[in-house]
Amino acid sequence: MSEFIPVFEPKLNGNEKKYLMQCIDSGWIGANGPFVKKLEDEFSLFCSQKYGSCVSSASGGLDITLRALKDLYKWEDFSEVIIPSFNIISSAQSCIYNKLKPVFVDAEDRTWNIDINKIEEVITKKTRAIILVHIYGLPCDINPILDIAKKYNLKVIEDAAQAHGQTYYNKKCGSFSDISVFSFFTNKHIASGEGGIILTSNEEILDKVNYYKNLCFTKDKFIHNDLGWNYRMTNLQAAVAYAQFEKVGETIKTKIELGSKYQELLKNIPAHLSCHKTEYAQNHYWIFGVVLNNDVKFDSKYVQNKLAQANIETRPFFYPIHKQPVLQKMGILDNIKRPVSENLYEKGFYIPMGLTLTDSKLEYISDKIKDLFRKS
Ligand SMILES: *Cc1c(COP(=O)(O)O)cnc(C)c1O
């Protein structure tokens, strides 16, 4: 029996401690500190965008991104925004908070990203935007989506929360649209506990998101014309994120190595593994996913329980947004099936991908998974 193997462990062995001490020694712990500015300037440059705006989370970042776009481009209430159904709740939630209607498109089998062939069929006169999401470390097929956006005059927002430093045909994710959002949550490729950043090359959008994230303060301090949120990120978080940013290349290299090893170790199990590579990108393995084949007699819950008994932590895949009870309760769901997302949830799970995993642990995990199929 192995010691407990968590699904993720961050590696804080760079300048994190040094930069945090600089915050404390200088007294700059709040939102206007030098690391916030450095991160905004340098991370935007890294992603070929003009401006950055640090926020307290990517979810908050999406809230104010949609609010800014709705405002600037005068979208009516209940305008429609296309999002992948196989995704975290954040994008749908941000639509709803802004009185916009999320419209869900199924995933495709090979990459688990949005199925580009099913986008046009959901476009209506009310569609105003599409949110590109790069699922689990592999970019979606961006160019055809940009073509559709152009044809129907849709705004594009990139949710690159799982794709720091990732590229699509050698161009950085987060650079493909007017506005992109990254997360610095603990398990992301750049981690500060909580936090995120909005990137844009449009000054009007920048001004709007800075306004909304900061309680809609105006130059006349304490006089407010609108209500916003406090979505500011602290200098303490930015210090850690900046240190993590300095070694994001190393993090990605480690992730690709771990993912490649799993591919080799698990290649013969009756399951579909995370897609290693496409024509346009190498998977950066934000997570390593396993989707059981249809002829396997058990589901992902069974495997997760068995692995838990062997001290191996796993996580389920995203629950399809178009089936979320909260959205059902709000009466904003249709009855359309998105079979690929639904199958991914039933048959999919992900296995440990911490940055400190050793070869012997990888082998232990892979052996335990292979055992399950031997016995059945
Ligand atoms: C993590 C994640 C988010 C949410 O990020 P937070 O910073 O935790 O709010 C949003 N979208 C995707 C695709 C994510 O992976």
Side-chain angles (χ1 to χ4, degrees):
M1 184 70 129
S2 157
E3 63 186 281
F4 178 70
I5 307 175
V7 91
F8 183 75
E9 270 175 307
K11 205 167 172 183
L12 302 165
N13 63 344
N15 288 318
E16 290 85 353
K17 197 183 267 178
K18 178 175 147 198
Y19 295 161
L20 273 175
M21 289 312 293
Q22 286 177 16
C23 298
I24 291 166
D25 289 340
S26 66
W28 273 117
I29 56 173
N32 294 319
F35 283 112
V36 174
K37 180 82 174 64
K38 257 166 99 74
L39 193 58
E40 290 176 344
D41 290 349
E42 294 180 36
F43 192 70
S44 55
L45 191 67
F46 177 72
C47 296
S48 310
Q49 293 272 16
K50 276 197 194 144
Y51 313 107
S53 176
C54 284
V55 284
S56 52
S57 71
S59 303
L62 285 164
D63 289 349
I64 53 179
T65 291
L66 285 170
R67 171 97 178 258
L69 294 178
K70 188 180 181 202
D71 228 44
L72 275 173
Y73 300 110
K74 308 202 178 341
W75 297 347
E76 287 168 10
D77 280 352
F78 311 110
S79 291
E80 294 171 6
V81 177
I82 298 173
I83 62 174
S85 60
F86 185 65
N87 191 15
I88 192 170
I89 192 82
S90 306
S91 48
Q93 171 169 303
S94 297
C95 290
I96 294 164
Y97 283 154
N98 284 294
K99 281 203 192 156
L100 296 167
K101 184 179 173 208
V103 175
F104 315 103
V105 174
D106 204 0
E108 60 103 20
D109 264 329
R110 183 174 69 125
T111 63
W112 312 336
N113 272 304
I114 193 166
D115 187 338
I116 54 170
N117 298 312
K118 294 187 181 147
I119 297 174
E120 269 189 286
E121 64 197 52
V122 302
I123 293 176
T124 71
K125 284 201 172 64
K126 290 183 174 172
T127 313
R128 294 290 172 270
I130 178 159
I131 303 183
L132 301 184
V133 187
H134 309 304
I135 296 288
Y136 291 165
L138 187 69
C140 60
D141 195 358
I142 301 173
N143 283 340
I145 306 178
L146 295 182
D147 289 343
I148 295 171
K150 205 165 174 189
K151 181 169 164 194
Y152 293 94
N153 195 22
L154 309 179
K155 291 286 162 202
V156 175
I157 299 147
E158 232 181 311
D159 176 350
Q162 304 174 355
H164 315 68
Q166 179 55 289
T167 56
Y168 174 84
Y169 288 120
N170 298 318
K171 188 170 179 280
K172 285 266 161 49
C173 290
S175 70
F176 284 93
S177 67
D178 280 358
I179 187 156
S180 56
V181 183
F182 289 80
S183 169
F184 300 139
F185 178 65
T186 314
N187 64 9
K188 306 290 160 106
H189 288 175
I190 295 176
S192 60
E194 299 284 356
I197 192 167
I198 298 171
L199 304 181
T200 182
S201 294
N202 177 324
E203 210 172 328
E204 281 184 316
I205 294 177
L206 178 78
D207 289 346
K208 284 278 182 198
V209 295
N210 282 339
Y211 179 64
Y212 289 131
K213 82 171 179 189
N214 193 25
L215 295 172
C216 300
F217 273 114
T218 57
K219 287 205 182 71
D220 293 323
K221 200 77 177 171
F222 301 116
I223 298 177
H224 297 265
N225 302 315
D226 295 289
L227 299 179
W229 291 270
N230 172 0
Y231 283 164
R232 299 180 300 249
M233 180 169 154
T234 68
N235 201 46
L236 293 167
Q237 291 166 316
V240 175
Y242 188 78
Q244 291 262 300
F245 172 41
E246 288 178 329
K247 57 195 176 90
V248 69
E250 199 184 305
T251 300
I252 291 166
K253 191 166 158 271
T254 305
K255 286 276 192 166
I256 295 174
E257 278 167 13
L258 292 170
S260 305
K261 284 177 188 164
Y262 270 138
Q263 291 285 359
E264 188 53 33
L265 289 163
L266 296 174
K267 66 181 176 201
N268 291 325
I269 64 169
H272 177 79
L273 308 177
S274 280
C275 175
H276 185 61
K277 217 179 180 132
T278 64
E279 321 74 80
Y280 52 77
Q282 158 73 55
N283 199 333
H284 280 185
Y285 292 109
W286 178 60
I287 57 109
F288 192 91
V290 177
V291 180
L292 302 170
N293 285 351
N294 282 335
D295 55 7
V296 173
K297 291 197 184 64
F298 39 82
D299 63 5
S300 57
K301 289 277 171 297
Y302 172 86
V303 182
Q304 289 188 260
N305 283 331
K306 285 288 178 196
L307 294 179
Q309 287 165 19
N311 254 345
I312 299 165
E313 189 184 27
T314 58
R315 291 276 156 78
F317 269 13
F318 293 129
Y319 189 69
I321 305 183
H322 69 277
K323 298 192 61 112
Q324 288 290 352
V326 56
L327 303 196
Q328 204 102 46
K329 209 163 63 183
M330 295 173 106
I332 51 176
L333 292 185
D334 52 43
N335 287 318
I336 301 169
K337 282 206 177 318
R338 278 92 175 167
V340 179
S341 315
E342 290 170 29
N343 184 63
L344 285 173
Y345 175 73
E346 263 165 52
K347 304 282 174 59
F349 59 97
Y350 61 91
I351 57 182
M353 203 48 176
L355 292 168
T356 55
L357 267 185
T358 56
D359 280 353
S360 66
K361 281 184 183 163
L362 277 177
E363 278 163 29
Y364 170 79
I365 296 162
S366 304
D367 284 343
K368 290 289 167 196
I369 294 173
K370 285 189 278 189
D371 277 353
L372 294 171
F373 300 105
R374 245 172 246 137
K375 281 174 201 153
S376 70

